[in-house]
Amino acid sequence: MLISLLAVLGGSVLVMATGTSTAWAVMIFLSAGLMIALVSWVHMHLANREGLERLELEEVSESREGEALFAEGEVLPARRSREQYEKWVVPLVSVILFLMQAGGVYYLGFKLLPGFIDEIQADKSTIFMQAPAQYVALIVTALVGLILFIRGQFASEYSRIEKQRLLQPASDYVLFGAYLNFAMATMVAVSFKDQRVDVYVGGALTLLLGLMALENLLTMIFEIYRPRMAGRRARLLYQSRLVGLIAKPENLFTTAGKVLNYQFGFKVSETWGYQFLRKRVGILIGIQVILFWLSTSIVVIHPSEVGKKVNVLGGAAEAETLEPGFHVKLPWPFAEVKRYYPGQVHSFIVGLQPVGDPELPPGMKLEDLPQLPKLWSVPAGQDYDALRKSGALYFMAGSSASNATSRTENILVASVPVHYRIEKDKLETGWLRYQNPEVLLQNIAYREIVAYFLESNLAELLQTQGSGANEQVLNAIQAKADQEKLGVKILFVGLGDIRPPAESSATIRGMESKSEDKPAATGREAEILNMTMAGAVELRFANEVIARTAMNNAKVFEKAEAIWREARVKQIQDSAKVKVGLAEGQAEANKAWLEIESGPYRASPQLYRQWQYLETFQKAVANARKYVIAVGEDVEIHVDLNLQESLRQEMYNLKGADKK
Amino acid sequence: MKKTINIVIFGLLLLIFGSFMFTFQVRQDEVAFLSTGGGKPRIYNKPGLKLRLPWPFQQLYKFDQRIHLETTEYEEMTSQNRSSVVMQLYFGWKIEDPDAFFNTFEGADSEERIAEARTQLKKYVQDGGKAVVKDNVTGVGYFIPADDGPGETGARLTFAQTEKEILAESVKRIKDQGVSIEFVGIRRVGVPQKSLDEVLKSMVKEWHSEANFIKTNAVSVAFGITDKAVEAREKAIKDAQNQAVQDIDDAEKTAERNIETFKKDPELAAFLMQLKALEESVKTQTTLILDETMGPFPILRGVKPFLKFDSNGTVQPE
């Protein structure tokens, strides 16, 4: 119990010094171990008392043969105390133990570790432990671990040899505590390189704590339904099989041997192979560990990679360049190889980062999702609201208002991908001159894109998102990167995703901008206030389409009018020409006719007139309906004529009418 | 065998932990300080493997001597005309004088000292930026090239000139601290969050007005074109009609001149016109009720007067 108390003190020092999740987990395990040691110690004390009492009873029984004065159970107080202890105290302690384990899982898994994970996600090189704390932790874990290991081994062997079953849970926990301290020591050693290891080890220990809590709960439930048989000893409620397995893994072989014997029907556990495996498993694992460690001396550099090898023990402080292929180095941690990828195309996005792929239900592919249109009026992007609230979402551009003496500013949202490649021959002299060159390149890209936006205006940026602008910005970034001797080749800059803000002036700050001292806007003012910038830009573009359509229609109408005008003018001219021609022709014809007729007329006016008269009469009345009333003078007749014609004249002369 | 393996593993662990505890390496781009018992540290700025005692006997500090990149906060700064502008800067710095650096920036270990240096330098650059903005920059519009001629534009600082000014201001503040600022750049520039709604309002107003102007202007021009086309058509037709009337008048005048010919034989002309009129007037749909005295119908009463040839062979009435 004192050893367990020492372990808990060591755990407390670890928690105070490091504050890591692993230290907290170790502390919870060791506290549980202390409680078990306490329970076990009392249990052993009661069992000893019972043993002494039994001996005493046997002695009394032998001296007074035949007299059964103390034969009744009620007169054995030590035994009764032990039974009462097992009946009430042990289950109570098991419940407290379970609550402690469950509380530990909750604290570690839902309070401590999420905070650490968030910190790691924000910054991979987050420092959880300072160097002095690491050294303190190493010393404490090594010291406590060693003491626990020695004492645990002794207690475990003692309990096995002496068949002290009440000592087993506490001895298992002491050994388990030793292993926990070694795990903590390993974690601290690795943390000199990478402190994220604390979260991994802490997570694993939390999982183990959860499993132990579950085991404890199940043991308690099974205990309720366990058949009580006189003279049969039950397994101790506070003894964990899981801890026993971890503390004494050789028990696994015993159990496995029994299972195999039963399954195969003969003593598999007595065969040479099984015995060899049982005896040499430690050596085999050790050889595996050594082989694994030696394998860290082989390095494979893939195509498009460049390795930089630094030997720690060799004293070569200058990094040696490794080309693609197999290479040999000193094993970890005496040498390390950092990999760079100058042949590959790297990329980042300036401005709003696109939304990641959504989580899909099983069996569904990203391509199966309906492709939603990316509209200016629909805000989309990573951390959009947070960026909007801070104002970091927006870039500034010039305004298209040309009548101003100095241009006013416009706001826009952009998401500009930049692709680049590290130049292999400038890796040492350029890229590696900087501690964090990616950050510098991103800053340069931001600078040049911001400067380009300020030099342009929003209308131009929206309408001329072409290769010319891309090339201009690409060249500017390349020039600046060259100026800083960064050793990169800028491959692509895409200014395609530039859009006006999706917000209105009433919503851009995330709340209604109606302040109490301002009167509520009405009419056009309200329309402007509530119109989104995307809406205003879309309205302008729509009006441009309307304007172009109106102009096109007007030009088409103009052409049609011109054609109509020309046709009508020509028609009038032709008509006039015809009329003029007719008038002139008729005049000429009349003149000619008179001149022709004048000769015969002069020769015999009377005869000519009579002749012409009759000739004309004949022709004139040829087609007329004629009624000649030739009854002589002074004769009166009465004739009724139906002057109504039922048929036109032509109908009387139909072709073929005379054929019968 | 088991013992050998155990010895090997133990030896390896001893070697690993021993190398960590008793040696350290100074790389080409590093500088190291080894302090014994908290005393004045010894500087190691030449690369190689060095020996040391483990903590707490000796404390090791290692610093990266390459150029470090820092980015300041996106911070609001007062401008020359008492408005404000939000600016974010980036800068590159490196340890120039390790001894001075070590003495200037406090910390329990290397990381803490570097973190302290980063914090201080960020503050200096930020302060330098604020000073330059306060003295020169009037707002975001300051960086937007204006169409107001080269004179005023020349008086303004460009992006690059502003960065140079900020660098000069920042360098003044880091004197004798063992670090040098290599460059300063403006990462982004914007308007304060509280002014965003006003800027957006003026933008929307501008774009809305422009949208209306484009539409109204186009419709007006289109109407102009159509009106002009209609007017041109009507004028052309009117002109053509006038011209036609004129031509016909001229033609009729010419015809009138031909009537002069009729004056030579007016009776014949009248007779011929009567005949023509007769012919035209009874051409179609005409019913004539005639007695035997009209036209050729007297002949219905017989061929009178009767004729006979005289001695000269001339026809004479009987």
Side-chain angles (χ1 to χ4, degrees):
Chain A
M1 200 180 75
L2 287 174
I3 294 295
S4 295
L5 192 61
L6 172 74
V8 171
L9 286 175
S12 306
V13 172
L14 289 178
V15 168
M16 283 188 288
T18 64
T20 55
S21 60
T22 310
W24 273 102
V26 169
M27 176 70 186
I28 293 165
F29 277 119
L30 294 177
S31 301
L34 176 63
M35 179 169 273
I36 286 166
L38 185 67
V39 176
S40 183
W41 180 73
V42 174
H43 208 163
M44 282 168 66
H45 177 69
L46 291 173
N48 280 340
R49 270 184 62 198
E50 188 188 352
L52 289 172
E53 191 182 62
R54 195 182 300 117
L55 286 173
E56 205 174 314
L57 183 64
E58 282 171 5
E59 204 173 311
V60 170
S61 302
E62 283 172 8
S63 61
R64 297 186 178 194
E65 285 180 11
E67 288 182 29
L69 187 63
F70 303 104
E72 295 299 324
E74 287 77 16
V75 294
L76 300 173
R79 183 181 170 185
R80 188 163 174 73
S81 297
R82 198 260 306 158
E83 283 173 352
Q84 290 299 312
Y85 182 78
E86 284 182 356
K87 189 176 180 183
W88 298 107
V89 178
V90 170
L92 182 68
V93 168
S94 294
V95 170
I96 293 171
L97 198 63
F98 170 73
L99 291 176
M100 189 189 277
Q101 288 165 335
V105 170
Y106 173 75
Y107 176 69
L108 289 169
F110 297 94
K111 292 277 180 190
L112 197 64
L113 280 170
F116 286 174
I117 290 167
D118 287 345
E119 282 184 46
I120 286 173
Q121 281 175 343
D123 180 9
K124 284 181 182 172
S125 53
T126 303
I127 305 288
F128 296 120
M129 286 179 281
Q130 299 299 341
Q134 286 170 307
Y135 286 115
V136 168
L138 272 179
I139 291 165
V140 169
T141 49
L143 196 65
V144 174
L146 193 65
I147 294 169
L148 289 182
F149 184 73
I150 293 166
R151 294 300 298 170
Q153 282 280 21
F154 169 74
S156 180
E157 286 299 310
Y158 179 78
S159 67
R160 188 174 62 82
I161 293 164
E162 295 293 321
K163 298 196 185 315
Q164 290 281 340
R165 76 177 187 104
L166 295 178
L167 185 61
Q168 264 188 7
S171 67
D172 285 353
Y173 245 101
V174 170
L175 260 182
F176 179 57
Y179 297 146
L180 284 175
N181 273 282
F182 293 149
M184 175 83 188
T186 312
M187 186 280 287
V188 173
V190 177
S191 75
F192 280 101
K193 277 278 177 197
D194 187 348
Q195 299 219 349
R196 287 181 294 176
V197 68
D198 168 55
V199 174
Y200 304 138
V201 177
L205 291 181
T206 306
L207 189 67
L208 185 63
L209 191 63
L211 287 173
M212 284 170 67
L214 186 66
E215 185 207 7
N216 198 0
L217 182 69
L218 290 173
T219 308
M220 283 191 287
I221 292 168
F222 293 152
E223 180 63 18
I224 296 168
Y225 298 104
R226 181 177 64 82
R228 268 71 174 170
M229 291 165 74
R232 185 170 175 180
R233 282 183 172 178
R235 191 180 172 85
L236 294 168
L237 203 54
Y238 52 85
Q239 185 176 10
S240 167
R241 286 181 173 83
L242 208 56
V243 170
L245 200 64
I246 295 168
K248 288 180 279 190
E250 61 271 19
N251 289 351
L252 191 67
F253 275 96
T254 311
T255 312
K258 283 178 185 171
V259 171
L260 288 171
N261 291 346
Y262 176 76
Q263 287 292 330
F264 287 94
F266 69 98
K267 297 276 183 185
V268 177
S269 59
E270 289 177 8
T271 58
W272 177 87
Y274 188 86
Q275 290 296 327
F276 176 81
L277 202 64
R278 183 170 185 169
K279 283 177 188 166
R280 308 289 180 200
V281 68
I283 296 169
L284 289 174
I285 292 171
I287 290 170
Q288 288 281 333
V289 169
I290 292 169
L291 283 175
F292 176 72
W293 180 73
L294 287 174
S295 73
T296 61
S297 62
I298 296 168
V299 182
V300 180
I301 303 292
H302 297 285
S304 83
E305 282 182 358
V306 167
K308 290 283 173 187
K309 183 176 82 174
V310 179
N311 286 331
V312 176
L313 280 187
E318 189 176 347
E320 183 190 339
T321 304
L322 302 181
E323 294 294 331
F326 282 92
H327 301 274
V328 179
K329 71 173 182 68
L330 287 172
W332 178 87
F334 307 116
E336 64 174 11
V337 172
K338 284 188 178 174
R339 292 166 193 269
Y340 300 94
Y341 306 91
Q344 293 180 3
V345 175
H346 306 264
S347 66
F348 59 86
I349 289 177
V350 171
L352 185 63
Q353 306 297 307
V355 182
D357 293 337
E359 281 185 24
L360 299 173
M364 183 179 260
K365 292 176 183 171
L366 194 63
E367 300 81 53
D368 299 337
L369 281 181
Q371 293 296 308
L372 295 173
K374 277 175 75 180
L375 301 175
W376 288 346
S377 53
V378 181
Q382 269 182 31
D383 304 324
Y384 188 93
D385 277 337
L387 291 169
R388 177 180 56 74
K389 282 174 188 165
S390 68
L393 175 66
Y394 306 109
F395 287 89
M396 309 308 296
S399 159
S400 56
S402 55
N403 54 350
T405 50
S406 65
R407 283 182 178 178
T408 53
E409 58 270 21
N410 271 193
I411 304 169
L412 61 89
V413 178
S415 187
V416 183
V418 178
H419 296 182
Y420 67 96
R421 183 180 282 146
I422 303 163
E423 290 184 85
K424 195 175 174 181
D425 54 335
K426 292 179 184 168
L427 182 67
E428 200 76 44
T429 56
W431 190 252
L432 294 178
R433 279 178 65 228
Y434 295 92
Q435 194 215 17
N436 37 3
E438 299 93 348
V439 181
L440 175 59
L441 185 58
Q442 286 185 22
N443 282 329
I444 287 173
Y446 256 101
R447 179 198 185 276
E448 296 307 328
I449 288 167
V450 164
Y452 177 74
F453 284 169
L454 286 169
E455 284 168 10
S456 313
N457 68 60
L458 184 56
E460 282 171 8
L461 287 170
L462 291 173
Q463 288 170 351
T464 59
Q465 298 173 346
S467 57
N470 291 350
E471 202 176 328
Q472 191 179 337
V473 177
L474 186 148
N475 290 337
I477 296 172
Q478 184 69 63
K480 191 74 181 168
D482 291 345
Q483 186 188 328
E484 306 297 353
K485 294 176 184 166
L486 201 48
V488 291
K489 173 84 180 160
I490 309 297
L491 303 172
F492 170 73
V493 176
L495 293 170
D497 195 359
I498 295 172
R499 33 188 155 138
E503 292 77 29
S504 68
S505 61
T507 59
I508 194 164
R509 286 159 63 185
M511 54 185 173
E512 291 294 323
S513 295
K514 285 188 292 182
S515 65
E516 290 78 10
D517 54 337
K518 280 185 188 172
T522 53
R524 186 169 181 271
E525 190 69 17
E527 188 191 354
I528 296 290
L529 199 64
N530 293 312
M531 179 177 272
T532 63
M533 189 56 211
V537 173
E538 281 170 355
L539 178 70
R540 186 181 139 168
F541 288 166
N543 281 0
E544 277 184 6
V545 173
I546 291 170
R548 273 200 295 274
T549 310
M551 288 300 289
N552 284 342
N553 287 345
K555 281 176 182 165
V556 168
F557 181 83
E558 189 183 28
K559 276 184 189 170
E561 282 290 302
I563 292 165
W564 184 15
R565 184 185 67 210
E566 282 172 20
R568 183 81 183 105
V569 167
K570 194 163 187 321
Q571 185 192 11
I572 292 166
Q573 285 172 344
D574 290 349
S575 173
K577 207 179 273 180
V578 168
K579 281 181 184 171
V580 168
L582 278 174
E584 287 176 352
Q586 197 163 10
E588 287 294 326
N590 286 340
K591 186 182 169 187
W593 182 37
L594 199 64
E595 283 170 357
I596 291 164
E597 297 300 329
S598 181
Y601 174 71
R602 284 178 189 280
S604 175
Q606 186 59 36
L607 192 60
Y608 174 81
R609 282 178 56 166
Q610 191 64 30
W611 172 51
Q612 280 297 324
Y613 167 70
L614 290 173
E615 191 79 9
T616 304
F617 188 86
Q618 182 191 347
K619 278 195 283 184
V621 303
N623 293 323
R625 181 175 289 181
K626 298 170 281 286
Y627 298 92
V628 180
I629 301 165
V631 293
E633 289 174 4
D634 304 326
V635 177
E636 286 188 3
I637 59 165
H638 179 82
V639 180
D640 289 329
L641 293 174
N642 183 8
L643 296 177
Q644 186 182 354
E645 286 192 48
S646 54
L647 288 172
R648 288 188 318 206
Q649 189 65 32
E650 301 90 68
M651 298 303 288
Y652 293 104
N653 300 314
L654 287 173
K655 264 185 179 176
D658 53 342
K659 287 179 184 174
K660 252 194 175 178
Chain B
M1 181 68 175
K2 192 174 178 180
K3 209 171 181 178
T4 315
I5 294 286
N6 284 346
I7 289 168
V8 169
I9 291 175
F10 181 74
L12 281 175
L13 288 173
L14 204 66
L15 191 63
I16 290 166
F17 285 106
S19 69
F20 272 125
M21 293 171 80
F22 292 98
T23 64
F24 69 97
Q25 190 194 39
V26 182
R27 293 189 186 166
Q28 205 176 24
D29 45 18
E30 285 179 338
V31 60
F33 293 83
L34 194 61
S35 168
T36 308
K40 188 173 165 57
R42 187 177 166 192
I43 303 174
Y44 294 88
N45 48 16
K46 285 185 180 169
L49 188 71
K50 319 285 177 191
L51 291 173
R52 57 173 287 203
L53 288 174
W55 182 89
F57 306 106
Q58 282 190 322
Q59 170 90 38
L60 177 70
Y61 304 90
K62 279 165 80 172
F63 302 105
D64 195 330
Q65 275 198 300
R66 292 180 297 172
I67 299 171
H68 300 244
L69 255 293
E70 301 298 335
T71 310
T72 67
E73 300 297 319
Y74 190 47
E75 193 186 350
E76 194 168 349
M77 301 175 181
T78 313
S79 64
Q80 193 192 35
N81 56 355
R82 292 187 180 181
S83 63
S84 62
V85 60
V86 192
M87 196 178 271
Q88 189 174 30
L89 305 166
Y90 67 90
F91 62 97
W93 66 275
K94 68 175 190 179
I95 299 169
E96 188 81 354
D97 179 353
D99 198 19
F101 174 82
F102 190 82
N103 291 327
T104 305
F105 299 103
E106 290 294 318
D109 57 19
S110 314
E111 280 79 18
E112 274 192 16
R113 284 171 192 263
I114 288 282
E116 175 68 10
R118 289 173 61 186
T119 310
Q120 291 296 330
L121 289 170
K122 270 187 190 178
K123 197 171 174 308
Y124 295 146
V125 173
Q126 200 103 344
D127 284 351
K130 283 177 186 173
V132 172
V133 168
K134 197 175 180 181
D135 290 346
N136 301 285
V137 179
T138 51
V140 174
Y142 181 85
F143 296 111
I144 301 172
D147 302 331
D148 51 2
E152 195 175 327
T153 310
R156 291 180 177 191
L157 297 177
T158 61
F159 233 53
Q161 285 166 340
T162 310
E163 288 166 349
K164 269 188 184 172
E165 291 284 323
I166 297 171
L167 176 62
E169 280 292 328
S170 308
V171 166
K172 277 184 207 166
R173 289 167 166 76
I174 57 158
K175 220 171 183 183
D176 302 328
Q177 295 191 1
V179 293
S180 68
I181 296 177
E182 300 292 302
F183 54 82
V184 174
I186 298 172
R187 187 171 192 262
R188 44 189 321 180
V189 61
V191 292
Q193 207 262 351
K194 62 178 179 295
S195 308
L196 281 173
D197 55 349
E198 285 304 320
V199 173
L200 197 67
K201 193 176 166 185
S202 71
M203 276 173 73
V204 171
K205 202 178 268 184
E206 179 192 324
W207 279 74
H208 189 262
S209 304
E210 228 167 298
N212 286 343
F213 172 75
I214 287 167
K215 189 177 169 184
T216 315
N217 186 48
V219 170
S220 164
V221 171
F223 273 127
I225 290 169
T226 52
D227 287 352
K228 208 173 163 185
V230 170
E231 195 183 324
R233 173 175 58 81
E234 284 175 352
K235 187 176 178 297
I237 290 170
K238 203 173 174 184
D239 289 349
Q241 282 171 339
N242 289 342
Q243 187 62 46
V245 169
Q246 184 66 43
D247 290 349
I248 291 165
D249 281 354
D250 291 348
E252 282 173 356
K253 277 177 189 164
T254 310
E256 277 170 17
R257 280 198 295 276
N258 290 339
I259 289 172
E260 295 295 322
T261 318
F262 286 27
K263 288 179 182 173
K264 291 176 186 172
D265 283 309
E267 284 173 2
L268 174 63
F271 172 68
L272 287 174
M273 277 187 271
Q274 278 174 355
L275 287 179
K276 195 174 180 184
L278 175 67
E279 194 173 345
E280 288 298 320
S281 57
V282 297
K283 199 176 265 178
T284 55
Q285 300 286 313
T286 311
T287 302
L288 297 172
I289 301 169
L290 308 166
D291 65 16
E292 76 276 12
T293 60
M294 292 176 168
F297 297 117
I299 202 160
L300 288 173
R301 291 184 178 274
V303 184
K304 288 182 181 174
F306 301 109
L307 300 176
K308 66 176 183 183
F309 289 96
D310 62 7
S311 55
N312 296 329
T314 310
V315 177
Q316 293 291 337
E318 278 184 346

